[in-house]
Amino acid sequence: MKNDSYSTSLDDVTLKYAAEVLKDDFSTRETHINEIREWLNTQPQLHGKTDGVTIVRFLRGCKFDIEKTKKKLKSYYQLRGSTPEWFSDRDPTLPALQELLSLGVFLPLLKKDPAGRLVIIIRVAAHDPSHHKQDDVFKVGKMILDLAIEQDESVSVYGVCAIFDLTSVSLGHARQLTPAMIKRAVHAWQDCYPVRTKSLDFINSPSYVNVILRIFKGFMREKMRNRVHVHGYDLQSLHQVVPPSVLPQEYGGSSGTVQDLIDHWKVKLTESKDWFADDEKYKAEPSS
């Protein structure tokens, strides 16, 4: 049985940052963990994880505000339960998912930026919209994000910078993104995941993409809207946000290649097949 107590893998510098910025106070942490765990035990329909590490992840995402943490946990497990197209059959060896992994639609970098953030390159148009389902693209992205969060506790402290690469985006890609799907995608990042999104950077973006971007922004709260930056085709502008030292060569960087990232995450996910099979049970029961 999994150990319910919290044991950190973070260094002292990161723990100090968590205390100062996220109100992660060592002296009261266990009290907050127990309060959330007791609440989860009164919410059996959520089928939520009650181990200390998972609970702390959500507490940090809400700066240890108990009521906000409860709300985010509820939203997270309800999203998982109400969106089977993203959170069911999460077998990384399925041919459709292997294809998307080989294309590299969602690629967390292997080096953090100077602020400690996990940088993720989301290659919006890497797939063929006539062959691949957009829901499968989101599924693979959520699987990689879940695994990255699970395997690196510092992500819950320093947050994420997302780079959306719109190279080769077409009308076919745009047609896949219905307003309802966009709304749910924004809801997942903004209201559900225990990850603080620090920056949303759009690159290689033709002017007509602003139409879709306006729809995305329409579902965002002001705080997130203010973190959206459109760089067009100017990599120098991107490098003001994410330094070349952490980026792959294709993005003007010096840290390996996109293929290196693809190979890394394809192996990581495939090796984690059993973890995904177990993780799938943590989701709310469908509303009657």
Side-chain angles (χ1 to χ4, degrees):
M1 186 168 177
K2 189 168 184 178
N3 189 348
D4 278 349
S5 64
Y6 171 73
S7 177
T8 187
S9 60
L10 301 176
D11 58 32
D12 290 343
V13 172
T14 304
L15 287 172
K16 183 181 178 183
Y17 178 94
E20 291 175 351
V21 178
L22 306 179
K23 302 181 180 179
D24 185 359
D25 187 337
F26 172 79
S27 65
T28 57
R29 185 191 295 137
E30 284 299 328
T31 300
H32 287 123
I33 291 172
N34 288 331
E35 187 171 350
I36 293 297
R37 182 180 289 130
E38 289 171 9
W39 174 79
L40 281 169
N41 287 334
T42 70
Q43 307 289 317
Q45 76 283 0
L46 294 182
H47 300 283
K49 291 184 179 181
T50 58
D51 64 280
V53 174
T54 298
I55 290 173
V56 167
R57 199 176 288 141
F58 279 90
L59 282 164
R60 285 182 182 136
C62 299
K63 294 189 176 180
F64 278 72
D65 182 307
I66 292 296
E67 292 310 312
K68 286 183 179 178
T69 302
K70 291 177 182 178
K71 185 177 180 181
K72 178 157 281 200
L73 279 161
K74 191 172 183 179
S75 295
Y76 177 72
Y77 289 114
Q78 286 178 341
L79 175 75
R80 288 172 64 100
S82 64
T83 318
E85 59 270 31
W86 295 356
F87 295 101
S88 293
D89 300 319
R90 299 213 304 172
D91 178 351
T93 65
L94 290 172
L97 303 190
Q98 283 283 302
E99 283 185 29
L100 291 169
L101 288 169
S102 295
L103 290 171
V105 294
F106 192 96
L107 298 172
L109 303 190
L110 304 185
K111 288 184 178 179
K112 303 292 176 52
D113 76 358
R117 302 178 302 183
L118 177 67
V119 180
I120 302 171
I121 297 176
I122 301 168
R123 301 169 76 218
V124 175
H127 68 287
D128 179 351
S130 67
H131 178 62
H132 301 109
K133 295 179 182 177
Q134 183 64 44
D135 281 325
D136 282 344
V137 174
F138 279 128
K139 180 189 285 191
V140 165
K142 296 291 182 289
M143 288 172 71
I144 295 174
L145 181 60
D146 284 342
L147 194 62
I149 292 170
E150 181 72 17
Q151 295 186 343
D152 185 352
E153 190 184 350
S154 73
V155 178
S156 70
V157 177
Y158 294 118
V160 165
C161 171
I163 300 171
F164 294 84
D165 181 359
L166 300 170
T167 298
S168 300
V169 70
S170 67
L171 187 58
H173 293 103
R175 282 175 173 158
Q176 284 190 312
L177 288 166
T178 64
M181 190 180 289
I182 291 172
K183 182 179 182 180
R184 183 162 286 191
V186 172
H187 172 63
W189 277 91
Q190 185 170 253
D191 304 314
C192 303
Y193 266 79
V195 175
R196 297 161 63 239
T197 306
K198 306 301 289 182
S199 182
L200 298 165
D201 295 271
F202 291 79
I203 64 171
N204 299 319
S205 49
S207 58
Y208 62 79
V209 166
N210 287 327
V211 177
I212 298 175
L213 201 51
R214 276 198 293 270
I215 300 174
F216 271 93
K217 285 185 172 181
F219 295 118
M220 294 178 184
R221 290 192 290 274
E222 184 178 4
K223 185 177 181 180
M224 184 168 277
R225 282 199 302 272
N226 290 338
R227 293 178 177 177
V228 173
H229 310 285
V230 180
H231 301 277
Y233 296 93
D234 185 1
L235 281 180
Q236 294 301 316
S237 176
L238 174 67
H239 293 165
Q240 299 301 310
V241 182
V242 181
S245 59
V246 306
L247 288 165
Q249 293 169 14
E250 292 86 348
Y251 295 89
S254 57
S255 184
T257 66
V258 165
Q259 191 60 51
D260 293 335
L261 295 170
I262 290 172
D263 294 343
H264 174 86
W265 287 107
K266 188 173 182 181
V267 169
K268 277 274 189 185
L269 252 72
T270 304
E271 289 178 345
S272 302
K273 178 178 177 176
D274 291 344
W275 181 83
F276 283 111
D278 177 70
D279 184 66
E280 201 167 306
K281 65 177 179 279
Y282 298 106
K283 55 189 175 187
E285 297 168 9
S287 301
S288 55

